[in-house]
PDB file of all heavy atoms in Angstrom:
ATOM      1  N   LEU A  32       5.310 -11.816  -2.242  1.00 89.00           N
ATOM      2  CA  LEU A  32       4.790 -12.272  -0.972  1.00 89.00           C
ATOM      3  C   LEU A  32       3.329 -12.815  -1.104  1.00 89.00           C
ATOM      4  O   LEU A  32       2.694 -13.110  -0.102  1.00 89.00           O
ATOM      5  CB  LEU A  32       4.821 -11.107  -0.025  1.00 89.00           C
ATOM      6  CG  LEU A  32       6.175 -10.531   0.361  1.00 89.00           C
ATOM      7  CD1 LEU A  32       5.982  -9.304   1.258  1.00 89.00           C
ATOM      8  CD2 LEU A  32       6.993 -11.621   1.068  1.00 89.00           C
ATOM      9  N   ARG A  33       2.847 -12.949  -2.296  1.00 90.00           N
ATOM     10  CA  ARG A  33       1.451 -13.301  -2.455  1.00 90.00           C
ATOM     11  C   ARG A  33       1.125 -14.647  -1.751  1.00 90.00           C
ATOM     12  O   ARG A  33       0.053 -14.857  -1.233  1.00 90.00           O
ATOM     13  CB  ARG A  33       1.037 -13.467  -3.933  1.00 90.00           C
ATOM     14  CG  ARG A  33      -0.428 -13.669  -4.137  1.00 90.00           C
ATOM     15  CD  ARG A  33      -0.781 -13.495  -5.616  1.00 90.00           C
ATOM     16  NE  ARG A  33      -2.244 -13.339  -5.724  1.00 90.00           N
ATOM     17  CZ  ARG A  33      -3.133 -14.378  -5.676  1.00 90.00           C
ATOM     18  NH1 ARG A  33      -2.626 -15.615  -5.484  1.00 90.00           N
ATOM     19  NH2 ARG A  33      -4.360 -14.095  -5.792  1.00 90.00           N
ATOM     20  N   HIS A  34       2.069 -15.578  -1.684  1.00 88.00           N
ATOM     21  CA  HIS A  34       1.805 -16.828  -0.990  1.00 88.00           C
ATOM     22  C   HIS A  34       1.545 -16.625   0.478  1.00 88.00           C
ATOM     23  O   HIS A  34       0.953 -17.556   1.154  1.00 88.00           O
ATOM     24  CB  HIS A  34       2.979 -17.762  -1.164  1.00 88.00           C
ATOM     25  CG  HIS A  34       4.278 -17.333  -0.591  1.00 88.00           C
ATOM     26  ND1 HIS A  34       5.046 -16.285  -1.083  1.00 88.00           N
ATOM     27  CD2 HIS A  34       4.914 -17.715   0.553  1.00 88.00           C
ATOM     28  CE1 HIS A  34       6.154 -16.102  -0.314  1.00 88.00           C
ATOM     29  NE2 HIS A  34       6.007 -16.918   0.703  1.00 88.00           N
ATOM     30  N   ARG A  35       1.994 -15.484   1.069  1.00 87.00           N
ATOM     31  CA  ARG A  35       1.733 -15.258   2.494  1.00 87.00           C
ATOM     32  C   ARG A  35       0.390 -14.536   2.730  1.00 87.00           C
ATOM     33  O   ARG A  35      -0.061 -14.402   3.834  1.00 87.00           O
ATOM     34  CB  ARG A  35       2.837 -14.399   3.028  1.00 87.00           C
ATOM     35  CG  ARG A  35       4.179 -15.082   2.954  1.00 87.00           C
ATOM     36  CD  ARG A  35       5.144 -14.570   3.800  1.00 87.00           C
ATOM     37  NE  ARG A  35       4.696 -14.474   5.175  1.00 87.00           N
ATOM     38  CZ  ARG A  35       5.466 -14.566   6.211  1.00 87.00           C
ATOM     39  NH1 ARG A  35       6.733 -14.788   5.997  1.00 87.00           N
ATOM     40  NH2 ARG A  35       5.020 -14.418   7.422  1.00 87.00           N
ATOM     41  N   GLY A  36      -0.230 -14.016   1.676  1.00 84.00           N
ATOM     42  CA  GLY A  36      -1.480 -13.355   1.853  1.00 84.00           C
ATOM     43  C   GLY A  36      -2.167 -13.175   0.453  1.00 84.00           C
ATOM     44  O   GLY A  36      -2.094 -12.084  -0.155  1.00 84.00           O
ATOM     45  N   PRO A  37      -2.832 -14.138  -0.036  1.00 86.00           N
ATOM     46  CA  PRO A  37      -3.524 -14.069  -1.340  1.00 86.00           C
ATOM     47  C   PRO A  37      -4.887 -13.409  -1.303  1.00 86.00           C
ATOM     48  O   PRO A  37      -5.484 -13.223  -2.346  1.00 86.00           O
ATOM     49  CB  PRO A  37      -3.658 -15.599  -1.691  1.00 86.00           C
ATOM     50  CG  PRO A  37      -3.789 -16.290  -0.412  1.00 86.00           C
ATOM     51  CD  PRO A  37      -2.928 -15.511   0.580  1.00 86.00           C
ATOM     52  N   ASP A  38      -5.402 -13.042  -0.080  1.00 85.00           N
ATOM     53  CA  ASP A  38      -6.788 -12.649  -0.009  1.00 85.00           C
ATOM     54  C   ASP A  38      -6.951 -11.120  -0.233  1.00 85.00           C
ATOM     55  O   ASP A  38      -8.080 -10.677  -0.507  1.00 85.00           O
ATOM     56  CB  ASP A  38      -7.371 -13.006   1.372  1.00 85.00           C
ATOM     57  CG  ASP A  38      -7.421 -14.470   1.504  1.00 85.00           C
ATOM     58  OD1 ASP A  38      -7.723 -15.174   0.542  1.00 85.00           O
ATOM     59  OD2 ASP A  38      -7.051 -14.973   2.597  1.00 85.00           O
ATOM     60  N   ASP A  39      -5.955 -10.352  -0.050  1.00 87.00           N
ATOM     61  CA  ASP A  39      -6.058  -8.860  -0.102  1.00 87.00           C
ATOM     62  C   ASP A  39      -4.670  -8.285  -0.284  1.00 87.00           C
ATOM     63  O   ASP A  39      -3.686  -8.906   0.135  1.00 87.00           O
ATOM     64  CB  ASP A  39      -6.699  -8.339   1.139  1.00 87.00           C
ATOM     65  CG  ASP A  39      -7.191  -6.863   1.034  1.00 87.00           C
ATOM     66  OD1 ASP A  39      -7.098  -6.285  -0.077  1.00 87.00           O
ATOM     67  OD2 ASP A  39      -7.480  -6.313   2.011  1.00 87.00           O
ATOM     68  N   GLU A  40      -4.646  -7.112  -0.805  1.00 90.00           N
ATOM     69  CA  GLU A  40      -3.364  -6.399  -0.945  1.00 90.00           C
ATOM     70  C   GLU A  40      -3.624  -4.877  -0.799  1.00 90.00           C
ATOM     71  O   GLU A  40      -4.652  -4.387  -1.234  1.00 90.00           O
ATOM     72  CB  GLU A  40      -2.542  -6.740  -2.216  1.00 90.00           C
ATOM     73  CG  GLU A  40      -2.948  -6.032  -3.422  1.00 90.00           C
ATOM     74  CD  GLU A  40      -2.217  -6.525  -4.675  1.00 90.00           C
ATOM     75  OE1 GLU A  40      -1.067  -6.195  -4.846  1.00 90.00           O
ATOM     76  OE2 GLU A  40      -2.900  -7.219  -5.439  1.00 90.00           O
ATOM     77  N   GLY A  41      -2.684  -4.161  -0.166  1.00 90.00           N
ATOM     78  CA  GLY A  41      -2.814  -2.717  -0.035  1.00 90.00           C
ATOM     79  C   GLY A  41      -1.458  -2.083  -0.098  1.00 90.00           C
ATOM     80  O   GLY A  41      -0.454  -2.629   0.280  1.00 90.00           O
ATOM     81  N   TYR A  42      -1.499  -0.774  -0.436  1.00 90.00           N
ATOM     82  CA  TYR A  42      -0.198  -0.053  -0.525  1.00 90.00           C
ATOM     83  C   TYR A  42      -0.392   1.297   0.118  1.00 90.00           C
ATOM     84  O   TYR A  42      -1.436   1.896   0.240  1.00 90.00           O
ATOM     85  CB  TYR A  42       0.053   0.283  -2.022  1.00 90.00           C
ATOM     86  CG  TYR A  42       0.226  -1.061  -2.811  1.00 90.00           C
ATOM     87  CD1 TYR A  42      -0.820  -1.660  -3.400  1.00 90.00           C
ATOM     88  CD2 TYR A  42       1.481  -1.552  -2.916  1.00 90.00           C
ATOM     89  CE1 TYR A  42      -0.653  -2.890  -4.095  1.00 90.00           C
ATOM     90  CE2 TYR A  42       1.662  -2.775  -3.649  1.00 90.00           C
ATOM     91  CZ  TYR A  42       0.643  -3.388  -4.157  1.00 90.00           C
ATOM     92  OH  TYR A  42       0.774  -4.579  -4.919  1.00 90.00           O
ATOM     93  N   LEU A  43       0.725   1.802   0.692  1.00 89.00           N
ATOM     94  CA  LEU A  43       0.743   3.066   1.361  1.00 89.00           C
ATOM     95  C   LEU A  43       1.911   3.875   0.760  1.00 89.00           C
ATOM     96  O   LEU A  43       3.068   3.387   0.783  1.00 89.00           O
ATOM     97  CB  LEU A  43       0.934   2.936   2.838  1.00 89.00           C
ATOM     98  CG  LEU A  43       1.022   4.274   3.640  1.00 89.00           C
ATOM     99  CD1 LEU A  43      -0.342   4.926   3.720  1.00 89.00           C
ATOM    100  CD2 LEU A  43       1.519   3.911   5.069  1.00 89.00           C
ATOM    101  N   LEU A  44       1.671   5.051   0.314  1.00 89.00           N
ATOM    102  CA  LEU A  44       2.732   5.892  -0.295  1.00 89.00           C
ATOM    103  C   LEU A  44       2.796   7.148   0.629  1.00 89.00           C
ATOM    104  O   LEU A  44       1.791   7.836   0.803  1.00 89.00           O
ATOM    105  CB  LEU A  44       2.373   6.431  -1.721  1.00 89.00           C
ATOM    106  CG  LEU A  44       1.898   5.234  -2.678  1.00 89.00           C
ATOM    107  CD1 LEU A  44       1.470   5.806  -3.956  1.00 89.00           C
ATOM    108  CD2 LEU A  44       3.041   4.222  -2.819  1.00 89.00           C
ATOM    109  N   LEU A  45       3.945   7.430   1.244  1.00 89.00           N
ATOM    110  CA  LEU A  45       4.027   8.442   2.260  1.00 89.00           C
ATOM    111  C   LEU A  45       5.135   9.473   1.992  1.00 89.00           C
ATOM    112  O   LEU A  45       6.210   9.169   1.502  1.00 89.00           O
ATOM    113  CB  LEU A  45       4.379   7.733   3.553  1.00 89.00           C
ATOM    114  CG  LEU A  45       4.591   8.583   4.841  1.00 89.00           C
ATOM    115  CD1 LEU A  45       3.224   9.098   5.341  1.00 89.00           C
ATOM    116  CD2 LEU A  45       5.219   7.734   5.932  1.00 89.00           C
ATOM    117  N   ASN A  46       4.837  10.768   2.341  1.00 88.00           N
ATOM    118  CA  ASN A  46       5.794  11.790   2.343  1.00 88.00           C
ATOM    119  C   ASN A  46       6.171  12.078   3.823  1.00 88.00           C
ATOM    120  O   ASN A  46       5.388  12.623   4.498  1.00 88.00           O
ATOM    121  CB  ASN A  46       5.186  13.049   1.711  1.00 88.00           C
ATOM    122  CG  ASN A  46       6.101  14.298   1.909  1.00 88.00           C
ATOM    123  OD1 ASN A  46       7.162  14.231   2.567  1.00 88.00           O
ATOM    124  ND2 ASN A  46       5.681  15.426   1.321  1.00 88.00           N
ATOM    125  N   PRO A  47       7.245  11.554   4.267  1.00 85.00           N
ATOM    126  CA  PRO A  47       7.649  11.646   5.711  1.00 85.00           C
ATOM    127  C   PRO A  47       7.871  13.123   6.171  1.00 85.00           C
ATOM    128  O   PRO A  47       7.877  13.428   7.355  1.00 85.00           O
ATOM    129  CB  PRO A  47       8.850  10.814   5.887  1.00 85.00           C
ATOM    130  CG  PRO A  47       9.390  10.672   4.567  1.00 85.00           C
ATOM    131  CD  PRO A  47       8.314  10.835   3.547  1.00 85.00           C
ATOM    132  N   HIS A  48       8.137  14.054   5.231  1.00 86.00           N
ATOM    133  CA  HIS A  48       8.410  15.450   5.559  1.00 86.00           C
ATOM    134  C   HIS A  48       7.198  16.150   6.164  1.00 86.00           C
ATOM    135  O   HIS A  48       7.325  16.854   7.097  1.00 86.00           O
ATOM    136  CB  HIS A  48       8.826  16.253   4.328  1.00 86.00           C
ATOM    137  CG  HIS A  48      10.197  15.814   3.817  1.00 86.00           C
ATOM    138  ND1 HIS A  48      11.342  15.987   4.556  1.00 86.00           N
ATOM    139  CD2 HIS A  48      10.605  15.178   2.691  1.00 86.00           C
ATOM    140  CE1 HIS A  48      12.391  15.531   3.844  1.00 86.00           C
ATOM    141  NE2 HIS A  48      11.892  15.011   2.722  1.00 86.00           N
ATOM    142  N   ASP A  49       6.033  15.847   5.664  1.00 87.00           N
ATOM    143  CA  ASP A  49       4.830  16.544   6.091  1.00 87.00           C
ATOM    144  C   ASP A  49       3.740  15.542   6.593  1.00 87.00           C
ATOM    145  O   ASP A  49       2.702  15.964   7.047  1.00 87.00           O
ATOM    146  CB  ASP A  49       4.218  17.446   5.078  1.00 87.00           C
ATOM    147  CG  ASP A  49       3.711  16.810   3.867  1.00 87.00           C
ATOM    148  OD1 ASP A  49       3.705  15.560   3.848  1.00 87.00           O
ATOM    149  OD2 ASP A  49       3.512  17.502   2.898  1.00 87.00           O
ATOM    150  N   GLY A  50       4.051  14.277   6.478  1.00 85.00           N
ATOM    151  CA  GLY A  50       3.145  13.281   6.972  1.00 85.00           C
ATOM    152  C   GLY A  50       1.915  12.890   6.105  1.00 85.00           C
ATOM    153  O   GLY A  50       1.087  12.125   6.410  1.00 85.00           O
ATOM    154  N   THR A  51       1.938  13.513   4.922  1.00 87.00           N
ATOM    155  CA  THR A  51       0.827  13.225   3.978  1.00 87.00           C
ATOM    156  C   THR A  51       1.040  11.806   3.362  1.00 87.00           C
ATOM    157  O   THR A  51       2.120  11.365   3.190  1.00 87.00           O
ATOM    158  CB  THR A  51       0.707  14.239   2.811  1.00 87.00           C
ATOM    159  OG1 THR A  51       1.970  14.353   2.104  1.00 87.00           O
ATOM    160  CG2 THR A  51       0.392  15.582   3.403  1.00 87.00           C
ATOM    161  N   PHE A  52      -0.061  11.212   3.089  1.00 89.00           N
ATOM    162  CA  PHE A  52       0.051   9.792   2.587  1.00 89.00           C
ATOM    163  C   PHE A  52      -1.144   9.510   1.650  1.00 89.00           C
ATOM    164  O   PHE A  52      -2.117  10.247   1.661  1.00 89.00           O
ATOM    165  CB  PHE A  52       0.079   8.736   3.692  1.00 89.00           C
ATOM    166  CG  PHE A  52      -1.180   8.720   4.532  1.00 89.00           C
ATOM    167  CD1 PHE A  52      -2.238   7.894   4.185  1.00 89.00           C
ATOM    168  CD2 PHE A  52      -1.242   9.528   5.677  1.00 89.00           C
ATOM    169  CE1 PHE A  52      -3.365   7.893   5.000  1.00 89.00           C
ATOM    170  CE2 PHE A  52      -2.375   9.526   6.465  1.00 89.00           C
ATOM    171  CZ  PHE A  52      -3.427   8.674   6.055  1.00 89.00           C
ATOM    172  N   GLU A  53      -1.007   8.417   0.908  1.00 88.00           N
ATOM    173  CA  GLU A  53      -2.136   7.971   0.069  1.00 88.00           C
ATOM    174  C   GLU A  53      -2.116   6.456   0.076  1.00 88.00           C
ATOM    175  O   GLU A  53      -1.078   5.826   0.043  1.00 88.00           O
ATOM    176  CB  GLU A  53      -1.871   8.520  -1.395  1.00 88.00           C
ATOM    177  CG  GLU A  53      -3.059   8.213  -2.353  1.00 88.00           C
ATOM    178  CD  GLU A  53      -2.789   8.824  -3.711  1.00 88.00           C
ATOM    179  OE1 GLU A  53      -2.510  10.052  -3.766  1.00 88.00           O
ATOM    180  OE2 GLU A  53      -3.007   8.097  -4.747  1.00 88.00           O
ATOM    181  N   THR A  54      -3.297   5.901   0.203  1.00 89.00           N
ATOM    182  CA  THR A  54      -3.482   4.453   0.047  1.00 89.00           C
ATOM    183  C   THR A  54      -3.825   4.074  -1.331  1.00 89.00           C
ATOM    184  O   THR A  54      -4.584   4.805  -1.984  1.00 89.00           O
ATOM    185  CB  THR A  54      -4.472   3.920   1.165  1.00 89.00           C
ATOM    186  OG1 THR A  54      -5.703   4.533   0.965  1.00 89.00           O
ATOM    187  CG2 THR A  54      -3.943   4.167   2.561  1.00 89.00           C
ATOM    188  N   ARG A  55      -3.384   2.886  -1.739  1.00 90.00           N
ATOM    189  CA  ARG A  55      -3.702   2.385  -3.096  1.00 90.00           C
ATOM    190  C   ARG A  55      -4.105   0.951  -3.027  1.00 90.00           C
ATOM    191  O   ARG A  55      -3.830   0.208  -2.101  1.00 90.00           O
ATOM    192  CB  ARG A  55      -2.476   2.525  -4.012  1.00 90.00           C
ATOM    193  CG  ARG A  55      -1.944   3.878  -4.313  1.00 90.00           C
ATOM    194  CD  ARG A  55      -2.750   4.668  -5.335  1.00 90.00           C
ATOM    195  NE  ARG A  55      -2.284   5.982  -5.527  1.00 90.00           N
ATOM    196  CZ  ARG A  55      -1.442   6.292  -6.452  1.00 90.00           C
ATOM    197  NH1 ARG A  55      -0.964   5.461  -7.349  1.00 90.00           N
ATOM    198  NH2 ARG A  55      -1.139   7.615  -6.594  1.00 90.00           N
TER     199      ARG A  55
END
Side-chain angles (χ1 to χ4, degrees):
L32 297 175
R33 190 170 194 281
H34 66 284
R35 298 200 52 151
D38 300 317
D39 191 12
E40 81 186 284
Y42 299 89
L43 179 70
L44 312 175
L45 178 73
N46 172 356
H48 292 293
D49 63 11
T51 58
F52 64 89
E53 186 174 312
T54 55
R55 298 279 178 99

